[in-house]
Amino acid sequence: MALVALGVCGGIGAYKAVEVARGLQQRGHDVAAVLTANAARFVGPLTFEAITRRPVAGDQFAPGVNAQIEHIALASDLQLLLVVPATANILGKFANGIADDFLSALYLATTAPVLVAPAMNTNMLAHPAVAANLDRLAERGVRFVEPGEGYLACGWVGRGRLAEPADVVAAADRMLGAGRSLAGRRVLVTAGPTVEDLDPVRYLGNRSSGRMGYAIAAEALARGAQVDLVAGPTALEPPAGAEVFRVRGAEEMRTAVMARVAGDGDAVDLVVMVAAVADYTPAGGARDAKLLRDRDELVLTLRRTPDILAALGRWRAGRDRPVLVGFAAEVGDPVARAREKLRRKQVDLVVANDVSRPGAGFGGNTNVATLVTDTEAEEIPLGTKRELARVLLDRVEPRLAPLASGSEGAT
Ligand code: C5P
């Protein structure tokens, strides 16, 4: 399961992009369509919206689009930018760094691999300007699904016909497969806050949005892992393909996590505890009736919640899996405290972030962090949460125990 941005340009082959979207979905991928203004004249955005079940990106300047800086958000989330059909125009823009619409800006903003299926009139394809652009893009690592020969919509017979949708889908799938380094692995991610109920209407909570945990789950899915996502209350849409277990309080999260790690079934290879688990919960549990506003001061007695990560560390002692990763939101110099936590909770890596720094921590789309192990501390500069997820999984993968026999091998 990967997120593919499907760029569609204004050529007669645009209708075939619908079939490509379907084919990608049938292979388990999530598709986000990006239409150029001319593509939308051939095939309506509604068609792609209905098929992909995602909003269609097109107008970079439409109201609302820039609230999320969508071309940047999509650029960092996707695993493949696929353009079907690619016109001479978009190839010229890609080759020359012109970014005057959503698709051309996305090409510049993403570091994901790019696969392009050109389609145009025979003479256009053979023109030295187009040929030079294709060469330039190939030098930069862009891959192509070569156009075929045959009857062209303009009435000519020759080279320039869009490759068959099935061939485009197969080429995309091959490119995506190359990065499936967690195939056969089971990964458990916790995300979001936990909330501790005081009474039927009130609770103690925190500002965790769930974004960091969801980004890690999405990245693990993109790498081919089977992902269990244990999520506290969050309004976010979970990444497609994850098995989601909704929980509320810390105790419920502990039960859900331990059942998955220590229960029967396949061994979990990696646990990433991103959830901001409440440290305290009302002693004696939530009151059955709403607390009355009948006094000037209210004293609540709280007791410590179970430390799930430490419990996992104890459980794992003497076993070869799962690799355990924790998060630590700190203020000031986080490394020393993170390392102390790492040792006390017996985990392999702690992602420490100084939540007082701009761009770090709860809520936003970005994070600054230090990856702390027993011996090293690697600073990760400000980037999107998805980028941090990528670096984290890159560092964790070499620590995974050998795949259990019979599992699908990593490719
Ligand atoms: O000790 P501290 O709360 O800073 O540790 C943070 C790490 O421990 C996070 O990975 C968090 O998910 C985990 N944690 C936990 N159970 C708790 C509190 C924190 O698993 N009760």
Side-chain angles (χ1 to χ4, degrees), residues 182-267:
L182 288 177
R185 299 293 191 174
R186 206 171 143 210
V187 175
L188 185 146
V189 181
T190 65
T194 66
V195 302
E196 308 301 321
D197 288 320
L198 291 172
D199 68 16
V201 294
R202 303 185 183 91
Y203 59 82
L204 295 173
N206 63 66
R207 291 169 187 244
S208 168
S209 65
R211 283 203 179 92
M212 188 66 235
Y214 278 35
I216 291 172
E219 181 61 25
L221 284 162
R223 293 178 184 214
Q226 177 196 333
V227 175
D228 290 346
L229 180 58
V230 178
T234 152
L236 297 180
E237 191 64 32
E243 190 154 353
V244 184
F245 306 91
R246 301 263 180 208
V247 297
R248 193 166 166 79
E251 184 58 49
E252 218 185 320
M253 182 170 277
R254 189 190 64 80
T255 307
V257 169
M258 294 314 289
R260 256 139 219 109
V261 175
D264 306 338
D266 294 343

Side-chain angles (χ1 to χ4, degrees), residues 8-17 38-39 41-43 84-85 87 119-121 151-155 160-162:
V8 185
C9 302
I12 182 64
Y15 75 96
K16 291 191 181 172
N38 288 328
R41 297 166 74 166
F42 282 93
V43 185
V84 186
T87 53
M120 65 198 77
N121 165 276
Y151 178 79
L152 304 179
C154 52
R161 196 183 145 91
L162 182 65

Side-chain angles (χ1 to χ4, degrees), residues 8-49:
V8 185
C9 302
I12 182 64
Y15 75 96
K16 291 191 181 172
V18 178
E19 224 177 299
V20 170
R22 265 265 178 270
L24 290 168
Q25 285 177 319
Q26 277 159 1
R27 291 185 182 227
H29 305 305
D30 194 9
V31 180
V34 180
L35 268 62
T36 65
N38 288 328
R41 297 166 74 166
F42 282 93
V43 185
L46 267 182
T47 305
F48 286 97
E49 190 176 294

Side-chain angles (χ1 to χ4, degrees), residues 141 150 159 165 267 276 282:
R159 193 159 173 268

